Amino acid sequence: MADHAPRRRSPLVVAGRTIACTLSLAVLGSSGFAWYAYTSLTTGLTTSTALSAVRKSAPPHLDSSVNILLIGLDSRKDMNGNDLPKQFVQDELNAGSSEIGGYNTNTLIVLHIPANGGKVTALSIPRDDYVQTEGADGKMHKIKEAYGIAKAAADAKLANKGLSKAQEEQQSREAGRAATLATVQNFLGIPIDHFAEVNLLGFYDIAQAIGPVQVCLNHATSDPAETGQGSGFSGQAGLNTLNASQALAFVRQRHNLPGGDLDRTHRQQAFISSAEYKLKQEGVFGDLGKMQGLFNVVKKDVVIDDQWNILDFAQQAPNLTGGNVEFNTLPIAGFATIGGEDVNKVDPVQIKQIVQTLFGHDPAPTPPTDASSSAPAAPAAGPAAPSSAPAAPSARPSGTVDVFNASAVTGAAGSESKALVAMGFKAGRVAEASSHPKDVTVTYGAGAKDGADAAAARYGVTATAAASVPAGHVEVVLGTGYTPPGAPAAAPPAAAASSTADPAANLPMQGPPVKMGGIPCVN
């Protein structure tokens, strides 16, 4: 691996590393420079053998499509295990001590490139999804923790092998990568063909190389760094032009957002779209001189698998630079507290069916609904759980959902009722709303909190108890500002509409999609 001197970088930039990966792939996918990439970029590029270690256990391929996992690694250390400078980490990036060396994969995005070379589908996996991990201990953990757990186990085994600090760091990271790849393959039910990883050294360099990027906010927001947890980001409603440090804060903010961590995922997607749009508008993808700086950053900061043929990729993925990419966020089934940590409950069966449908494959037959058939039961969800029984992260929402439409979208209540029923609810009332809130509201009666949390997560809001709602019922009111999940997000300028039906439109995704080709507005 190339030696990286510690420099100005950001920890906890959850989106940054994967944004860097995606933009790097767009650079690599610029077919006009494929030969240059193959002969110049591959010289000095860091590669990994981790994918070979998990290929035998991967689900079978159903066609010749390509699945690429983008890994954003959260670490305050460089590629050789050295701490990043304290002053830069703390003062400029408002991100805590550089001595904290966690290895969470705080961003995981799967890019699916169809066999016919059509629209690229990108799926974000929420970092706190509670899943069966592969690798070190094989237990249930947040999906982001698979890398760090496996790396720590490898470090323990390598401690007395006479390796240098850099050698041990590189080998233990390989164990972390393999564990992450295997965990994602098992969770989604798809094989991973290639992967790219960017750590904390990547995003700032790429953001600097790109220059100021415009993003769009639905509402003004502020996240003061003085709180000790804040990102330091502040933005007005509408367009905001961000330099590299501001971009880091933008993709890092999770406080003071309606959907919290899930809104941060949408910001990741929106920044990728905005940055790609800027590069395309400025003609970077067609200018070798302009691309030289990005090539150099990619060489320095990105790790890819050693089986990746850049020339083949350039032919497979022209849509990465053409804006024909749609980002969706996989749904959660609610929230829980397990082992003192807040986690996202997920339904592994539902997740696999969504992925297969979205990727154009027939969903696998649904196994028995017993939670133990799809994943080990989770520990109790804490005092907030409606019963004393252990809470399984794969449990589907239950109860009756009533949907009322206060928006101008015709038939919205009926469409949302169907989508919520697909999540596991029983269909209740569907009607026009008597009240007219601006945002979607989710309220619930006695015994329906878990279901309400799952419904609220779909809209990025928080569910509240209401005495007026019958026991066992969840009430959803689609406010005047409601936008149907699957509809294009407001974007100045707007992305071009797809000529084909959106397969994600009728799937229970976590909020609306973000489409590349413009500047999407997000929370």
Side-chain angles (χ1 to χ4, degrees):
M1 288 189 179
D3 184 22
H4 293 280
R7 299 183 306 161
R8 51 195 190 286
R9 300 294 184 267
S10 164
L12 295 180
V13 184
V14 187
R17 283 77 73 194
T18 303
I19 290 168
C21 278
T22 307
L23 295 175
S24 299
L25 296 188
V27 172
L28 296 182
S30 183
S31 58
F33 303 106
W35 179 247
Y36 176 87
Y38 185 74
T39 58
S40 177
L41 180 61
T42 54
T43 302
L45 185 66
T46 301
T47 59
S48 164
T49 61
L51 191 59
S52 300
V54 300
R55 281 202 185 277
K56 290 184 179 179
S57 60
H61 246 303
L62 300 180
D63 56 25
S64 59
S65 60
V66 177
N67 300 317
I68 302 170
L69 178 64
L70 308 181
I71 301 173
L73 183 63
D74 177 20
S75 173
R76 292 163 171 80
K77 297 182 182 295
D78 68 11
M79 299 281 269
N80 293 319
N82 300 311
D83 292 340
L84 301 181
K86 289 183 182 180
Q87 184 174 1
F88 182 76
V89 169
Q90 293 175 332
D91 298 341
E92 182 170 347
L93 301 178
N94 307 306
S97 171
S98 62
E99 295 177 354
I100 302 172
Y103 290 86
N104 289 332
T105 55
N106 273 342
T107 309
L108 294 168
I109 297 179
V110 174
L111 291 178
H112 176 76
I113 302 173
N116 63 3
K119 181 176 72 176
V120 176
T121 299
L123 282 179
S124 291
I125 306 172
R127 64 176 187 156
D128 290 336
D129 284 3
Y130 193 67
V131 304
Q132 177 75 45
T133 61
E134 307 293 331
D137 64 6
K139 296 180 180 179
M140 300 287 292
H141 294 285
K142 295 180 183 181
I143 196 166
K144 69 180 182 181
E145 296 173 337
Y147 192 117
I149 292 171
K151 182 186 183 303
D155 279 328
K157 294 179 180 179
L158 295 169
N160 298 315
K161 300 292 186 181
L163 300 175
S164 68
K165 179 180 179 180
Q167 289 173 326
E168 182 177 325
E169 179 75 9
Q170 292 156 15
Q171 290 188 30
S172 60
R173 285 198 186 193
E174 286 287 78
R177 292 168 187 137
T180 296
L181 290 163
T183 298
V184 171
Q185 287 185 153
N186 180 60
F187 180 46
L188 303 187
I190 59 170
I192 299 299
D193 301 294
H194 299 293
F195 80 91
E197 172 192 299
V198 173
N199 65 7
L200 297 175
L201 299 173
F203 180 74
Y204 191 87
D205 279 347
I206 287 186
Q208 286 280 60
I210 292 173
V213 172
Q214 283 193 322
V215 299
C216 178
L217 292 175
N218 291 322
H219 311 284
T221 184
S222 178
D223 186 29
E226 289 76 12
T227 63
Q229 296 289 327
S231 65
F233 180 76
S234 178
Q236 63 185 10
L239 291 175
N240 295 260
T241 301
L242 311 182
N243 61 26
S245 293
Q246 292 168 330
L248 289 170
F250 173 77
V251 298
R252 182 175 168 235
Q253 181 183 356
R254 61 189 174 94
H255 301 288
N256 304 326
L257 296 177
D261 211 54
L262 297 172
D263 273 345
R264 178 162 58 174
T265 298
H266 296 142
R267 282 197 176 187
Q268 301 169 14
Q269 300 163 346
F271 187 84
I272 292 171
S273 178
S274 294
E276 185 273 345
Y277 179 76
K278 171 187 169 74
L279 294 176
K280 185 177 179 182
Q281 291 297 107
E282 294 182 351
V284 174
F285 292 127
D287 187 316
L288 180 57
K290 292 180 179 179
M291 289 186 70
Q292 179 68 54
L294 286 178
F295 274 128
N296 291 337
V297 172
V298 171
K299 285 173 66 172
K300 178 160 49 63
D301 292 327
V302 177
V303 179
I304 67 172
D305 65 271
D306 62 350
Q307 300 174 45
W308 205 334
N309 186 305
I310 302 300
L311 285 175
D312 288 347
F313 175 70
Q315 296 171 351
Q316 292 168 331
N319 285 314
L320 280 175
T321 56
N324 196 17
V325 181
E326 180 174 284
F327 289 90
N328 281 279
T329 305
L330 288 170
I332 65 172
F335 303 98
T337 301
I338 298 175
E341 294 191 6
D342 295 332
V343 304
N344 300 333
K345 296 192 293 183
V346 292
D347 181 345
V349 174
Q350 180 197 42
I351 293 298
K352 290 180 175 65
Q353 291 177 331
I354 288 172
V355 172
Q356 294 295 326
T357 300
L358 197 59
F359 289 179
H361 305 312
D362 293 330
T366 303
T369 56
D370 179 6
S372 63
S373 66
S374 59
S387 70
S388 59
S394 60
R396 293 172 65 81
S398 61
T400 301
V401 63
D402 304 311
V403 185
F404 302 96
N405 186 21
S407 77
V409 181
T410 303
S415 299
E416 285 301 305
S417 177
K418 291 179 181 178
L420 292 164
V421 167
M423 290 174 60
F425 290 100
K426 295 179 182 177
R429 294 180 60 195
V430 175
E432 295 299 311
S434 57
S435 61
H436 293 78
K438 181 179 179 181
D439 299 318
V440 175
T441 63
V442 179
T443 53
Y444 60 92
K449 183 180 187 305
D450 279 2
D453 286 341
R458 172 173 169 80
Y459 307 106
V461 300
T462 301
T464 58
S468 60
V469 179
H473 280 242
V474 174
E475 182 177 293
V476 176
V477 177
L478 306 175
T480 56
Y482 162 80
T483 300
S498 172
S499 60
T500 58
D502 182 359
N506 296 317
L507 294 174
M509 292 300 184
Q510 197 69 41
V514 171
K515 298 184 179 182
M516 284 176 65
I519 305 174
C521 290
V522 292
N523 287 331

